[in-house]
Amino acid sequence: MIARRTLSAAALALLATPALAQTAWPRRPVRLLVGFAPGGFTDIVARAVAEQYSQILGVNVVVENRSGASGTLATDFVAKAPADGSVLLLGHSTPNAVAAALFSNLPYDPLTDLTPIAQIAVHPHLLVVPASSPHRSTEALVAAARAQPGSISFSSAGIGSVHHVACATLAQKAGVEFVHVPYRGSAPAMADLLAGRVDMTIDGVSAVAGPISEGKLRPLAAGTLARIDRWPDMPTLQEQGYGEIDAMSWVGVFGPAGLPPELVQAAAAAADTALKAEGMQRVLQAGSSLPATRRGQEFRDFVALEITRYQAVLGNSRIAL
């Protein structure tokens, strides 16, 4: 009898967790907005999050891609959405931090118009060129740009994206000029790089790892301050003499400002559970991404620090959308 009672209590405890999550979240479909085109790192993580959230919260979570303006269109939409749990954002460091330092007429404030819920992952970037490129080192690439200003182009996921800022910072540190070719997301930017229509980019591991292994891209340097585990012998841009360039992006779940505390807590707890799921871990490992544990106020404080960091890097070079 004791054994049976113990098993019964354990079973009830297991059943209670999803029941509580389902009770806490309004019984309606949830739109998880992504500010970039399908196929990029943010979109891939968003779909993994949506799958986990659907199971954990007991609601139908659907990813909606609303690309454009470096992710700020989707972010602005969520900032102006009802704070009832029906709309969430898989935010990215570009529209949620870089944009505040770069754009002069941003239609939302990342710190006051959104509710930071849970940071999900941090993603390292590296400098790559097409395999057909004549430039076999960062030094050779920079030398070509110096010899013929405007001859070296780079692709990015949009104006103000991490790719844009990283490549522009490299140009600044090297004292050369690169031509920026912005796209509506990482996937189309990578497609044109692979086709040889642009000369280089600094993009995330999830976007470049496959083409590198297939011999379609050539890595020249880690864009982060520390070497990337997947390529331990590849030096960083800093090690190559180009200063403190730290090209990395992060993603996390946000809601509109004023999201009720019980929903914030439920979504944050769901993120903790999601990161333990095998499918979620596979997605992060495929992109050499690190799971992140900042939640609520700690996540907000991190976003504030990121904005300050980018303001220090970009100085007064703010531009209009």
Side-chain angles (χ1 to χ4, degrees):
M1 288 296 292
I2 294 176
R4 289 181 64 186
R5 286 175 184 168
T6 302
L7 288 172
S8 178
L12 287 173
L14 288 172
L15 291 171
T17 300
L20 286 173
Q22 291 174 17
T23 301
W25 208 268
R27 303 294 297 161
R28 68 184 74 181
V30 177
R31 299 158 68 189
L32 181 63
L33 267 73
V34 177
F36 303 97
F41 168 66
T42 310
D43 177 69
I44 292 170
V45 174
R47 294 179 189 281
V49 169
E51 180 181 358
Q52 294 299 319
Y53 266 32
S54 294
Q55 297 174 14
I56 298 165
L57 297 175
V59 294
N60 184 27
V61 182
V62 180
V63 172
E64 180 178 321
N65 297 88
R66 188 172 290 230
S67 63
S70 300
T72 61
L73 295 183
T75 308
D76 184 47
F77 181 88
V78 175
K80 293 176 172 57
D84 58 5
S86 63
V87 178
L88 296 174
L89 172 74
L90 202 286
H92 184 277
S93 46
T94 293
N96 290 81
V98 180
L102 186 64
F103 296 128
S104 60
N105 57 343
L106 198 64
Y108 59 88
D109 185 325
L111 297 177
T112 60
D113 295 335
L114 294 165
T115 299
I117 296 172
Q119 189 179 25
I120 300 296
V122 176
H123 192 55
H125 288 54
L126 62 159
L127 171 62
V128 293
V129 296
S132 59
S133 172
H135 311 301
R136 308 193 70 83
S137 67
T138 308
E139 182 181 9
L141 189 70
V142 168
R146 183 173 292 116
Q148 191 174 353
S151 64
I152 301 297
S153 60
F154 70 90
S155 62
S156 83
I159 296 173
S161 64
V162 172
H163 323 91
H164 176 197
V165 173
C167 290
T169 302
L170 173 59
Q172 183 185 59
K173 299 282 189 183
V176 298
E177 176 188 345
F178 296 144
V179 177
H180 180 207
V181 184
Y183 294 80
R184 292 173 69 92
S186 179
M190 183 54 59
D192 268 12
L193 179 69
L194 291 170
R197 298 187 184 96
V198 289
D199 298 301
M200 56 170 275
T201 195
I202 297 177
D203 204 343
V205 172
S206 63
V208 303
I212 289 174
S213 65
E214 295 166 3
K216 297 177 181 178
L217 287 179
R218 180 184 304 132
L220 301 184
T224 45
L225 293 179
R227 293 195 181 195
I228 299 171
D229 290 343
R230 194 163 185 163
W231 296 279
D233 297 328
M234 184 170 56
T236 68
L237 286 169
Q238 184 181 35
E239 289 175 322
Q240 294 181 11
Y242 298 102
E244 292 188 3
I245 298 175
D246 192 10
M248 61 90 180
S249 57
W250 49 262
V251 293
V253 180
F254 294 79
L259 195 66
E262 62 270 20
L263 296 189
V264 175
Q265 292 169 8
D272 291 337
T273 302
L275 286 172
K276 298 173 185 175
E278 184 177 340
M280 193 77 193
Q281 291 178 358
R282 280 199 304 268
V283 167
L284 298 187
Q285 289 170 359
S288 292
S289 301
L290 301 174
T293 59
R294 297 181 181 93
R295 305 288 179 259
Q297 184 61 42
E298 184 184 8
F299 187 22
R300 185 191 183 282
D301 292 343
F302 170 79
V303 173
L305 285 173
E306 281 284 273
I307 292 172
T308 300
R309 183 171 75 88
Y310 280 112
Q311 285 172 337
V313 171
L314 297 169
N316 295 321
S317 60
R318 303 185 82 205
I319 61 177
L321 280 169

